[in-house]
Amino acid sequence: MSAAEALKAARAAGIELGIDGADLVLEASAPPTAAVLGLLSRHKAGIVTLLRPGRDGWSAEDWQVFFDERAGIAEFDGNLPRAQAEVRSFACCVGEWLNRNPVRSPQGHCLGCGGGDHGHDPLLPFGIEPTGYAWLHSRCWPAWHAGRKAEAVAAMTAMGIATRAVFPDDFGKNGGV
Ligand SMILES: [Zn+2]
């Protein structure tokens, strides 16, 4: 059983879980059974990792929930086969990760090559207003953006999402963001 499965089993038993530093905090209306407590203690570290929010404010579990929701929508509302629905959902996760982990850079230097703003080679702002812009030459953007997407894919993979949905190498071929 994985930590995620142990978490599911505990919730099914009516236990609410939270974290406090490196500790699991349990809340339940009735005392948990020894079997459930045993599960939780065996998987404690893994469950704490699942529930701990990353620097973008979402925990691995939040990402899993987001992924499952999107995959469900694509499968049932979009009538896609499950594998394709997961590919589409994975692309949504990558887009969401990029939005939640914005990059801002000072105006005047290209984030890609480090060069400056020239009349024949101007720096352009990429990004969205509330989080600020990353400044790049237009020719430097594709490689920089590909690197950002690879970062997002790596973050998803580290949380166990990509391994089921899609191999990163196939990502670009499937209508990624
Ligand atoms: Zn540049």
Side-chain angles (χ1 to χ4, degrees), residues 63 93-103 145 148-149 152 177:
W63 283 107
C93 285
V94 167
E96 184 67 20
W97 189 93
L98 291 172
N99 286 339
R100 299 185 72 90
N101 293 270
V103 170
H145 189 64
R148 289 268 292 151
K149 278 215 285 200
V177 283

Side-chain angles (χ1 to χ4, degrees), residues 81-174:
R82 181 66 193 181
Q84 243 175 295
E86 291 198 352
V87 168
R88 178 159 311 175
S89 171
F90 187 72
C92 288
C93 285
V94 167
E96 184 67 20
W97 189 93
L98 291 172
N99 286 339
R100 299 185 72 90
N101 293 270
V103 170
R104 214 176 341 181
S105 74
Q107 206 169 341
H109 289 285
C110 173
L111 252 187
C113 68
D117 192 15
H118 307 292
H120 62 283
D121 195 12
L123 286 171
L124 302 172
F126 293 93
I128 44 174
E129 184 67 63
T131 49
Y133 300 109
W135 292 86
L136 289 123
H137 299 117
S138 56
R139 68 185 151 78
C140 295
W141 182 82
W144 176 79
H145 189 64
R148 289 268 292 151
K149 278 215 285 200
E151 219 185 311
V153 168
M156 292 302 129
T157 309
M159 291 187 282
I161 290 174
T163 46
R164 291 190 318 157
V166 62
F167 295 107
D169 285 343
D170 291 332
F171 176 63
K173 287 183 240 156
N174 290 305

